[in-house]
């Protein structure tokens, strides 16, 4: 396990995490949030926050997936998977 984490860390060294900006209203709302718990609470009052945040983070997510999929351990490439949608989670 330690070896896997160290390989992933090597891949992430070349990334500066960034995201696309959302609208001013949502950006100001996000500045007040200091944890995922607070972001979840804010998204209950502001329903578009969740979708806008996901869209905003898509570029760095795609970049990290591309880097991770080029990494190997014992000649086997790493695999990435898309997270489950809310509907898939509810179906479980």
């Amino acid at each position: 396990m330690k070896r896997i984490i160290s390989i992933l860390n090597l891949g992430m060294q070349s990334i500066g995490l960034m995201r696309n900006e959302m609208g001013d209203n949502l950006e100001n709302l996000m500045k007040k949030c200091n944890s995922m718990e607070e972001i979840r609470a804010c998204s209950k009052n502001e329903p578009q926050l969740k979708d806008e945040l996901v869209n905003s983070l898509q570029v760095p997510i795609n970049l990290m997936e591309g880097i991770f999929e080029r990494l190997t351990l014992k000649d086997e490439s790493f695999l990435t998977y898309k997270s489950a949608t809310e509907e898939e989670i509810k179906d479980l």
Side-chain angles (χ1 to χ4, degrees), residues 30-77:
M30 282 295 294
K31 287 178 184 176
K32 297 175 186 175
C33 299
N34 293 317
S35 67
M36 285 302 298
E37 186 177 333
E38 290 177 5
I39 293 171
R40 287 185 190 106
C42 286
S43 70
K44 288 180 182 175
N45 298 331
E46 190 69 45
Q48 67 187 28
L49 176 62
K50 182 178 179 180
D51 292 333
E52 288 294 320
L53 185 57
V54 169
N55 290 337
S56 157
L57 292 170
Q58 204 55 54
V59 171
I61 289 170
N62 293 339
L63 180 61
M64 287 177 62
E65 284 177 349
I67 289 172
F68 287 167
E69 289 171 355
R70 287 190 296 271
L71 297 173
T72 60
L73 176 64
K74 297 181 182 177
D75 294 325
E76 282 195 46
S77 296

